Amino acid sequence: MPSAVRFGVNYTPSEGWFHHWLDFDLDSVRADLDAIAALGLDHIRVFPLWPYFQPNRTLIRPRAVEQLVRLVDAAGERGLDVNVDGLQGHLSSFDFLPAWTRTWHRRNLFTDPWTVEGQADYLRALATALAGRPNFLGLTVGNEVNQFSAGPHPDPDRADTGAIDTWLERMLDACEQGAPGRLHLHAEYDATWYQDDMPFTPAQAARLGAVTAVHSWVFNGTAQRHGRTTVPTEHHAAYLIELSKAWAEDPHRPVWLQEVGAPAPLIPAAHAAAFAAATVTNALDCPDLWGITWWCSHDVSRSLADFPELEYGLGLFTNDRRPKDIARVLADAARTPRPAPDARTTALVVPADPARRSRCAPGGPVFDAFFALVADGARPTTVLDTRADDKEHLAARSITDVVTPDQVLPTPQGGPRS
């Protein structure tokens, strides 16, 4: 059977970046969407900036919501489905939090009852406004909101895992109330999978919401350690997809590669297309992949100040809407029929305890063992140590061979592996 993997792009407006909501120009948006649709992509992910849409806890601006609906309608006219992120939150190194949550009005984003109520009201309002649009996929609660809950954020809103469970369930319920039956989910950056003290956990990512979302960025130490053309760098997205499956209750839970990009200088501009081709090819070898959504559609204009240098060149298009070679890679992938991948029958054991998840991070034994297997020609997935002997679970996932990192990696000279 042909694969039903979706191909899309995270929409960054060519004019004004996400500040375009302040001077919304539908003609400019339409021109951007024409360029995206011409690639043969089938969906976009869009980002209303939270403070612009809900500047006061009890004020959700009707005109801002109307502009979002108009954008979704314009996408639909071009054959593009739309996922909408709610709580932005954090984008491209900048935080966008309403004044009613900060400084003199400081309230914990995850535990303060009034703040949580305001967030739920906002998500429900967006979902309700879009519920009747046939090309509306659903809401993502927010973009990488886990970065607000722990270090290295300079001013985190601390919460424990139990509080995050409650918060996520409340936010997802609000999305469902506004638009029943749509693809509602939450999405975090990779500290969820790699950072021992992160209160957002792999279990939450793999069990709450309609799909599991992973965000793959090789500037997390992968490309620094291994270089741009190596197995770990070119398979990092596939690794996160397969790592997420260890925690899923549904053996065929869909996984969405919701963000992946080619960050310079670790991935130089001249190599971005080759990196994209390898990353996409390897991700497509993962069963139960819902879709690939590249970051991002258009470069950030050099007229905008203070972005990290890598952010200016991540687009499939230049700021004046000219497609780059990397755009052609995504277009070719979107238009090429392919068979669904075979099951991955070898599973690498990973720790179920989230306090030990750094073993899965770049430099950790799980990470290194996974890529040693890949380099040897294997197609590994992962399984929790608490399920490694569960024959029913293994059979449901078509796993026939279970290995530990110590079985894969040679023992270091001078003593046992820690």
Side-chain angles (χ1 to χ4, degrees):
M1 293 179 61
S3 172
V5 174
R6 308 290 301 267
F7 283 90
V9 67
N10 292 276
Y11 174 45
T12 51
S14 63
E15 296 183 18
W17 192 64
F18 299 110
H19 303 301
H20 83 135
W21 296 111
L22 295 171
D23 299 290
F24 187 73
D25 181 344
L26 188 58
D27 288 338
S28 177
V29 168
R30 286 169 172 154
D32 289 344
L33 297 179
D34 285 339
I36 293 168
L39 296 180
L41 305 182
D42 61 43
H43 71 275
I44 58 174
R45 177 177 171 225
V46 303
F47 302 86
L49 291 186
W50 183 19
Y52 300 171
F53 277 64
Q54 191 184 23
N56 182 274
R57 184 165 58 86
T58 57
L59 173 62
I60 299 166
R61 294 178 52 241
R63 179 170 293 184
V65 175
E66 177 189 349
Q67 290 168 342
L68 175 62
V69 172
R70 292 169 71 192
L71 187 157
V72 171
D73 286 345
E77 291 164 2
R78 289 151 179 83
L80 295 167
D81 291 340
V82 183
N83 171 262
V84 176
D85 265 45
L87 303 172
Q88 266 56 252
H90 178 85
L91 289 164
S92 301
S93 84
F94 291 97
D95 288 350
F96 295 95
L97 297 175
W100 50 272
T101 69
R102 301 291 90 185
T103 60
W104 299 104
H105 295 265
R106 177 62 183 264
R107 294 167 174 158
N108 189 290
L109 296 173
F110 307 109
T111 61
D112 176 75
W114 285 1
T115 302
V116 171
E117 181 182 5
Q119 293 167 329
D121 288 345
Y122 172 56
L123 292 174
R124 190 181 303 107
L126 294 185
T128 299
L130 294 167
R133 266 54 190 183
N135 66 316
F136 170 54
L137 290 170
L139 286 181
T140 300
V141 168
N143 182 54
E144 301 185 350
V145 289
N146 61 319
Q147 63 99 22
F148 291 113
S149 68
H153 193 279
D155 186 25
D157 288 11
R158 300 285 183 180
D160 62 25
T161 295
I164 298 301
D165 279 335
T166 300
W167 182 82
L168 284 170
E169 289 170 357
R170 177 76 185 278
M171 297 303 108
L172 289 165
D173 283 348
C175 298
E176 182 67 18
Q177 289 164 12
R182 299 302 178 109
L183 191 82
H184 302 305
L185 66 149
H186 63 104
E188 289 79 46
Y189 86 104
D190 62 18
T192 286
W193 310 102
Y194 293 160
Q195 185 173 316
D196 289 340
D197 66 346
M198 170 59 61
F200 284 76
T201 67
Q204 293 163 346
R207 297 172 189 174
L208 299 178
V211 300
T212 301
V214 295
H215 292 189
S216 175
W217 290 101
V218 296
F219 55 53
N220 63 357
T222 300
Q224 292 93 328
R225 285 173 174 269
H226 300 283
R228 70 176 188 264
T229 59
T230 59
V231 166
T233 298
E234 293 185 342
H235 288 255
H236 182 262
Y239 170 63
L240 280 177
I241 293 166
E242 293 303 323
L243 181 64
S244 78
K245 295 176 182 179
W247 283 270
E249 301 287 359
D250 176 357
H252 297 291
R253 178 175 165 89
V255 184
W256 182 359
L257 180 54
Q258 195 185 45
E259 280 189 27
V260 59
L266 295 166
I267 309 297
H271 186 70
F275 170 80
T279 295
V280 168
T281 296
N282 295 326
L284 289 172
D285 192 39
C286 297
D288 304 308
L289 179 66
W290 182 88
I292 298 173
T293 310
W294 199 260
W295 189 281
C296 55
S297 65
H298 296 77
D299 286 348
V300 177
S301 171
R302 290 282 177 179
S303 67
L304 296 174
D306 302 326
F307 285 81
E309 181 61 26
L310 69 91
E311 298 286 349
Y312 288 102
L314 289 170
L316 299 181
F317 300 91
T318 63
N319 195 237
D320 57 0
R321 303 190 182 103
R322 288 181 291 111
K324 305 178 188 177
D325 289 343
I326 194 172
R328 298 181 182 94
V329 169
L330 269 292
D332 289 346
R335 291 168 172 155
T336 302
R338 64 190 62 80
D342 294 334
R344 292 184 173 224
T345 58
T346 298
L348 181 66
V349 175
V350 304
D353 182 358
R356 301 176 66 223
R357 75 190 104 166
S358 59
R359 293 173 63 83
C360 303
V366 172
F367 185 98
D368 289 346
F370 187 95
F371 293 113
L373 288 168
V374 174
D376 285 343
R379 299 173 59 249
T381 187
T382 60
V383 65
L384 296 184
D385 52 13
T386 54
R387 293 172 167 173
D389 296 320
D390 183 340
K391 293 182 180 179
E392 183 177 349
H393 175 77
L394 299 178
R397 296 182 57 198
S398 302
I399 294 169
T400 58
D401 188 23
V402 176
V403 296
T404 67
D406 285 344
Q407 290 173 313
V408 176
L409 300 173
T411 301
Q413 190 174 11
R417 181 172 299 279
S418 58

